[in-house]
Structure formats: structure tokens, C-alpha cells
């Protein structure tokens, strides 16, 4: 199997007259954790959502697990079963309990048997530490628990890559650690991950590669220690200065 | 002399009570209570209506309403999905259907179906089928708009999550969106059921047999043989046996789901 899991070439995406992604090239190797950072409106979430075609690109080519997603004849539903996605707002199915949230797509999409789907679901709930919440409804869980259940739901499809769209941005600060802990454990297990995040500490410690985006371009990319620890581009420096030390800079006084 | 605001409010309240007392006294003295009792509360006639008013009329009203509601719900769901379709002609057909059947009196629709359908299809439907088509056809027009609103009230993230797990858009609609939409619209749907219960009275025009009478027809039929309006009162009370609990259920469901759903745009 090839070492490349996600390959993006010349990706372009516009919303009406607004060009959100301008010619993005990005490669994610199998087993790598790639963190995408950048100011809001820089196109990071849109880039991530293009990787499983929740947003339709206007140009360029996206290949995931050897499947060209931009091919008009691609079986996108089939391709998506191998691409797990975790959302900022969790998006657990509110009418199903935790176990059924994890089982419904296994049953209806992968056509797994009831017992097999249940076994996979329980194994993944163990992984995220929610075994005791099988029967709970999403509304009865804290944000951190909901997000971990959502991660377990994506894992239950046995994906080859996981996409995380600001997975901790909607959480109360004291709940962020649980979710990041699960993600770190996934990374340690060798999962290929593409993470849009504002958690610089996580990016610095876990990411194999960090990408800084601004204004629809990839401004800087490289190992975490370099991009976060020793940024070369001025825009990266100014962004990191504001994120890492928000109280010491006025809005018009970057760096 | 100027009166303080508080004083004024107090006098206005006294005046309101005063008017109420005068009206009640007028009605009490001017009405012929003996006559009214004979007209509405004739116990012999009331007793003669039992048990048939329950075992035949009330039962039939419930059966007709249930059939109409079931058919109306199914057709309403189809119309709602058509209204949200990306195919233009589907949207137009649904809009025309909904606007037409909401805009004309149900009685006209029933007459049209009763006399028109046999001509159009060169066959006579059994009475129950006609009742179902007529009540359901009208109910569907009202329910379609409610269901459409419910489908649109399901957060977009639910569909995105479903699609990201590999569900097709149809699968996501059936497995995720429709079940959630029905939870949201349970209270208004209960209200539609109440309206349909009352509309079921209009099927008297369908020329039913005695054992097919529903409450209104049964009441009118008894009325024609008795010198008192008691049958109408009894029939009315029987409707309340159905509609009052439903109304209570609707308000209960609204309270239970209402609080959470406000955040749903």
C-alpha cells in the first residue's frame, strides 16, 4: 500500500464571489498527524470539509486512500466510510442513544450484523472511556462525553483517516483535556489524522506536520517544532504571538 | 378632578365585574329554563341513544379519523418531501395540491371525491376507502406544511454527520432526519388530529348505512325522531371525549419538547 493517505493538488474552492481556498497542495502520509492552524476565515475548515467532499471543490484534485474524490463518477458514500469525521458541534444523532449512534451506520451502510456492530461499538466506547454510557441519550452527556462518543462513532466504521474540525472549540475548558487525551491516544496507535485546531500545545506535541493557513493559502508548513517553535513567515509569527500570548497585544499591534 | 392611575384601574375593574353580573342576571331571568332543559337535557332521549352512540357512532368516528390521519400523514410526508425536492415540477405539484386543498372547504372536497372518483376511475370504492381518501386528502394538505417545517428544523449538522458516515442522502433522510422531524412536530400533529376528528363529521354526505354512522350523523338521525336537541348535545360531548385528552396530550408534548427546540433554527 502506498505511503500517501491524502493527496491534494491545486485545490480551489469559492463561495460565490468569495475565494476561500486558492490553489492548495497538501500531502498526508499514512500514520501521520497533520494539524492545520490559522486565523478564523483562513479556509482551514473548508479545506478539511473538502477532504470528504462535504464541500464540493471548484478545482484541483483530491485523492484519499487511492480514490480520486474529484472524479465525477466516484462512489462518494463508499469513499466516506473510510474517512472518519469529527465536528465542532459533535452532531451525535439526537434521537438515538450512544450505542445506536455507533451502530446505525455500521448496520445501514456497512451491512454488519447486529452482534458484530455491537461488538465494534462497545470496543470503541472502551477506547474513549465511555463504556458506562451505552444507554445514555446525547442530551444527557457533557460536551466532552458527546465529543468522545462522536469520535467512537467515526472509529466504528474502521476509517483509514480521521478528520477533526475544531473538535474542542465548543467545549468548556475543563473538558478539553479528555477529548485531546483520546486524540493523542489515537495518534499513538498510528491513526492518520488531519486536525483543524486552536490547541497549540496539542499541535506542538502530537503533530508530525503543522500547516499554517491564511487567506486561502498554505503560508507555512513543516515539523511542529519549526512552524510553531520557530516560524519563518511574518504572518505565522504574528498569528502565533496573538494566540500564545493574547493579553499582550492590542488588535493593531501584532508582535 | 384628576384621578390617580391606580384609582382609575380599580374603578375599571369594578365596572368589569358589574357588567358581568348584570349580564348573568339578565340571562338567568329572561331564559326559560324549563324549556331549555326539555330542549337539551331530555334524559329519556339521552338514555335511548346508549349504547349505540358509543359502540357504533363514537367507534366509527375514531376509525374514520384514524384511517384519514394515517393516509393523510403518509401523503403529507410525500408532499413535504416533494416541496423540498430539487426537481421543480415536484415542488409545483405539491404547492398546487396544498394551496388547493387548504383553500377550499372540506365539504366540497368530500362531495367531489364521493361523486367524482367513481366517474374518473369507472369504479365504486368501498365506503371506508372513500372516507380515508376524503379525510386524508384534506388532512395531508395541512400536515404537509407542518412536516416540511419539521424536516427543515432538523439541524444541518445531523445530515452532515450522517453523510460523513457514508449514508446516501435518501438513507440519511429516512434514518436520521425524518425520525427527528417527527419528534419536533408531534405537538402540532396532535392538533391536526383534533381538527381531523371534527372534520370527520362532514362525511355524513357520503350516504352511509346505519351501522356506518359516525357521531354527527348519528346525532342528526336521532334528532329527526325526537322533539329535543339532546342528541346533538350528547354527540358533542362524545367529541370532547376524544378531543380533550388529545388537546391535553398536545400541550404536554409541547411543554416537554418546547424548551429544547427553541435553540433549533
Amino acid at each position: 500500500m502506498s505511503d500517501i493517505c491524502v493527496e491534494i493538488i491545486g485545490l480551489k474552492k469559492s463561495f460565490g464571489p468569495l475565494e476561500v481556498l486558492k490553489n492548495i497542495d497538501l500531502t498526508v502520509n499514512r500514520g501521520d498527524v497533520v494539524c492545520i492552524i490559522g486565523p478564523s476565515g483562513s479556509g482551514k475548515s473548508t479545506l478539511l470539509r473538502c477532504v470528504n467532499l462535504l464541500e464540493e471543490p471548484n478545482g484541483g484534485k483530491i485523492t484519499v486512500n487511492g480514490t480520486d474524490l474529484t472524479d465525477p463518477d466516484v462512489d462518494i458514500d463508499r469513499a466516506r466510510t473510510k474517512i472518519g469525521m469529527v465536528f465542532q458541534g459533535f452532531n451525535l444523532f439526537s434521537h438515538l442513544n450512544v450505542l445506536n449512534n455507533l451502530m446505525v451506520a455500521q448496520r445501514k451502510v456497512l451491512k454488519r450484523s447486529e452482534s458484530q456492530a455491537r461488538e465494534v461499538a462497545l470496543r470503541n466506547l472502551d477506547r474513549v472511556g465511555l463504556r458506562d454510557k451505552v444507554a445514555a441519550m446525547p442530551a444527557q452527556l457533557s460536551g466532552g462525553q458527546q465529543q468522545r462518543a462522536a469520535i467512537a462513532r467515526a472509529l466504528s466504521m474502521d476509517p483509514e483517516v480521521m478528520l477533526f474540525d475544531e473538535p474542542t472549540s465548543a467545549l468548556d475548558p475543563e473538558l478539553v483535556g479528555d477529548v485531546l487525551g483520546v486524540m493523542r491516544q489515537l495518534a499513538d496507535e498510528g491513526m492518520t489524522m488531519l486536525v483543524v485546531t486552536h490547541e497549540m500545545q496539542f499541535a506542538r506535541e502530537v503533530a508530525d506536520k503543522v500547516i499554517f493557513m491564511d487567506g486561502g493559502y498554505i503560508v507555512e508548513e513543516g515539523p511542529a517544532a519549526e512552524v510553531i517553535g520557530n516560524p519563518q513567515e511574518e504572518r505565522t509569527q504574528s498569528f502565533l504571538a496573538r494566540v500564545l500570548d493574547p493579553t499582550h497585544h492590542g488588535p493593531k499591534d501584532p508582535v | 378632578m384628576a384621578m390617580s392611575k391606580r384609582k382609575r384601574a380599580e374603578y375599571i375593574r369594578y365596572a368589569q365585574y358589574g357588567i358581568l353580573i348584570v349580564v348573568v342576571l339578565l340571562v338567568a331571568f329572561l331564559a326559560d329554563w324549563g324549556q331549555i332543559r326539555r330542549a337539551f337535557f331530555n334524559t329519556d332521549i339521552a338514555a335511548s341513544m346508549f349504547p349505540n352512540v358509543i359502540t357504533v357512532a363514537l367507534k366509527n368516528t375514531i376509525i374514520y379519523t384514524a384511517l384519514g390521519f394515517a393516509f393523510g400523514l403518509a401523503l403529507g410526508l410525500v408532499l413535504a418531501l416533494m416541496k423540498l425536492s430539487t426537481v421543480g415540477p415536484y415542488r409545483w405539484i405539491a404547492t398546487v395540491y396544498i394551496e388547493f386543498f387548504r383553500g377550499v372547504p372540506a365539504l366540497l372536497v368530500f362531495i367531489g371525491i364521493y361523486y367524482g372518483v367513481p366517474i374518473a376511475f369507472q369504479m365504486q370504492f368501498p365506503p371506508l376507502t372513500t372516507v380515508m381518501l376524503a379525510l386524508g386528502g384534506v388532512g395531508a394538505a395541512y400536515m404537509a406544511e407542518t412536516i416540511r417545517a419539521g424536516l427543515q428544523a432538523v439541524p444541518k449538522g445531523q445530515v452532515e454527520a450522517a453523510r460523513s458516515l457514508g449514508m446516501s442522502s435518501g438513507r440519511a433522510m429516512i434514518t436520521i432526519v425524518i425520525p427527528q422531524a417527527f419528534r419536533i412536530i408531534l405537538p402540532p400533529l396532535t392538533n391536526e388530529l383534533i381538527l381531523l376528528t371534527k372534520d370527520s363529521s362532514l362525511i355524513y354526505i357520503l350516504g352511509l348505512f346505519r351501522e356506518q354512522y359516525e357521531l354527527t350523523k348519528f346525532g342528526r338521525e336521532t334528532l329527526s325522531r325526537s322533539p329535543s336537541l339532546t342528541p346533538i348535545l350528547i354527540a358533542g360531548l362524545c367529541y370532547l371525549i376524544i378531543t380533550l385528552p388529545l388537546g391535553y396530550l398536545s400541550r404536554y408534548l409541547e411543554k416537554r419538547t418546547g424548551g429544547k427546540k427553541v435553540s433549533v433554527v
Side-chain angles (χ1 to χ4, degrees):
Chain A
M1 204 184 276
S2 134
D3 262 331
I4 294 174
C5 185
V6 178
E7 188 175 36
I8 298 169
I9 301 169
L11 175 62
K12 289 188 177 66
K13 172 67 187 174
S14 306
F15 293 112
L18 183 68
E19 245 190 312
V20 181
L21 298 177
K22 305 162 184 166
N23 208 17
I24 301 280
D25 296 315
L26 172 65
T27 305
V28 181
N29 290 326
R30 202 164 292 282
D32 271 4
V33 176
V34 174
C35 284
I36 306 171
I37 62 172
S40 59
S42 59
K44 350 181 253 308
S45 284
T46 307
L47 169 59
L48 196 74
R49 290 163 60 85
C50 280
V51 178
N52 69 353
L53 246 58
L54 279 184
E55 301 293 352
E56 198 91 33
N58 299 111
K61 190 173 165 184
I62 303 171
T63 312
V64 181
N65 306 321
T67 308
D68 178 5
L69 299 187
T70 41
D71 177 352
D73 291 326
V74 72
D75 183 350
I76 187 62
D77 295 332
R78 193 193 171 97
R80 280 178 178 146
T81 62
K82 292 281 160 209
I83 309 172
M85 178 123 186
V86 175
F87 299 87
Q88 183 178 349
F90 327 134
N91 296 350
L92 288 177
F93 302 131
S94 59
H95 64 303
L96 300 177
N97 69 17
V98 169
L99 184 64
N100 284 324
N101 259 280
L102 270 64
M103 284 175 63
V104 62
Q106 292 191 68
R107 298 276 289 132
K108 305 281 184 190
V109 179
L110 300 181
K111 309 288 180 198
R112 285 179 181 160
S113 70
E114 165 99 35
S115 60
Q116 194 194 357
R118 180 187 301 271
E119 189 197 310
V120 172
L122 292 176
R123 177 154 45 78
N124 283 303
L125 281 177
D126 271 334
R127 271 168 105 177
V128 301
L130 285 178
R131 180 63 181 254
D132 54 330
K133 299 291 183 191
V134 276
M137 295 303 283
Q140 298 168 320
L141 301 179
S142 73
Q145 290 169 333
Q146 287 190 53
Q147 192 60 297
R148 283 186 284 150
I151 293 172
R153 176 176 67 180
L155 289 175
S156 295
M157 304 296 282
D158 296 324
E160 295 189 17
V161 55
M162 288 279 286
L163 311 177
F164 293 85
D165 187 5
E166 303 200 26
T168 57
S169 296
L171 296 177
D172 290 335
E174 78 272 20
L175 302 174
V176 169
D178 292 346
V179 172
L180 291 181
V182 167
M183 289 168 63
R184 181 188 287 261
Q185 171 198 324
L186 269 183
D188 291 344
E189 289 167 11
M191 175 62 76
T192 311
M193 293 163 60
L194 200 48
V195 186
V196 171
T197 187
H198 290 295
E199 301 290 336
M200 292 305 145
Q201 190 68 20
F202 176 82
R204 193 196 284 259
E205 291 173 14
V206 180
D208 297 291
K209 180 154 84 172
V210 170
I211 287 173
F212 174 71
M213 282 184 73
D214 193 16
Y217 291 106
I218 292 180
V219 176
E220 192 165 353
E221 68 174 291
E226 279 173 32
V227 176
I228 298 178
N230 183 23
Q232 300 302 305
E233 298 286 333
E234 199 205 313
R235 277 192 283 178
T236 320
Q237 291 165 0
S238 122
F239 171 74
L240 286 169
R242 272 176 288 150
V243 171
L244 297 175
D245 194 5
T247 54
H248 285 178
H249 300 278
K252 299 205 164 184
D253 179 29
V255 186
Chain B
M1 202 180 102
M3 223 187 293
S4 80
K5 262 202 164 144
R6 193 152 55 100
K7 212 74 182 153
R8 249 179 70 147
E10 202 173 310
Y11 284 131
I12 288 173
R13 201 166 61 243
Y14 288 147
Q16 288 177 12
Y17 278 111
I19 292 168
L20 178 66
I21 290 166
V22 169
V23 170
V24 168
L25 287 177
L26 273 177
V27 170
F29 283 116
L30 295 182
D32 181 345
W33 288 105
Q35 186 56 34
I36 287 175
R37 199 184 58 75
R38 280 189 296 280
F40 284 102
F41 305 101
N42 187 320
T43 45
D44 290 340
I45 295 173
S48 77
M49 292 174 75
F50 287 91
N52 279 359
V53 67
I54 303 292
T55 55
V56 176
L58 181 64
K59 188 193 77 181
N60 279 337
T61 289
I62 291 174
I63 290 174
Y64 296 161
T65 306
L67 280 175
F69 190 71
F71 177 62
L73 201 59
L75 183 58
L77 178 59
V78 171
L79 287 168
L81 291 172
M82 283 170 74
K83 262 216 118 162
L84 296 175
S85 166
T86 49
V87 182
Y90 279 149
R91 288 199 304 276
W92 306 330
I93 293 169
T95 305
V96 168
Y97 182 98
I98 292 167
E99 295 302 333
F100 181 82
F101 283 97
R102 280 200 311 189
V104 302
L107 188 57
L108 287 191
V109 176
F110 289 8
I111 294 171
I113 288 178
Y114 180 52
Y115 294 104
V117 167
I119 295 169
F121 295 97
Q122 292 297 313
M123 60 184 287
Q124 189 72 46
F125 285 109
L128 271 185
T129 311
T130 313
V131 167
M132 189 175 83
L133 287 177
L135 269 179
V138 172
Y142 288 94
M143 285 189 260
E145 283 294 309
T146 309
I147 296 170
R148 180 196 53 75
L151 292 173
Q152 288 181 317
V154 175
K156 215 169 119 246
Q158 296 284 315
V159 179
E160 289 188 344
R163 297 305 306 273
S164 78
L165 289 164
M167 292 188 199
S168 64
S169 60
R171 168 54 68 195
M173 180 59 82
I174 291 168
T175 315
I176 306 300
V177 177
I178 290 177
Q180 291 191 28
F182 273 93
R183 264 150 225 257
I184 297 172
I185 59 171
L186 218 46
L189 272 189
T190 315
N191 279 328
E192 310 280 1
L193 183 54
I194 293 173
L195 294 178
L196 212 59
T197 307
K198 294 187 290 177
D199 276 351
S200 72
S201 65
L202 296 174
I203 62 176
Y204 74 85
I205 62 130
L206 299 189
L208 299 167
F209 297 115
R210 185 170 291 272
E211 63 272 21
Q212 294 166 336
Y213 284 178
E214 40 67 55
L215 281 169
T216 300
K217 179 71 179 171
F218 185 87
R220 280 164 49 109
E221 212 273 333
T222 317
L223 181 68
S224 67
R225 293 183 279 104
S226 54
S228 157
L229 282 164
T230 307
I232 297 301
L233 181 78
I234 298 289
L237 291 176
C238 284
Y239 277 107
L240 291 179
I241 292 175
I242 307 173
T243 53
L244 284 182
L246 283 177
Y248 180 80
L249 176 70
S250 166
R251 281 190 298 280
Y252 167 76
L253 292 170
E254 206 160 338
K255 214 186 296 176
R256 211 187 52 169
T257 56
K260 294 203 283 257
K261 291 299 170 196
V262 177
S263 63
V264 174
V265 180

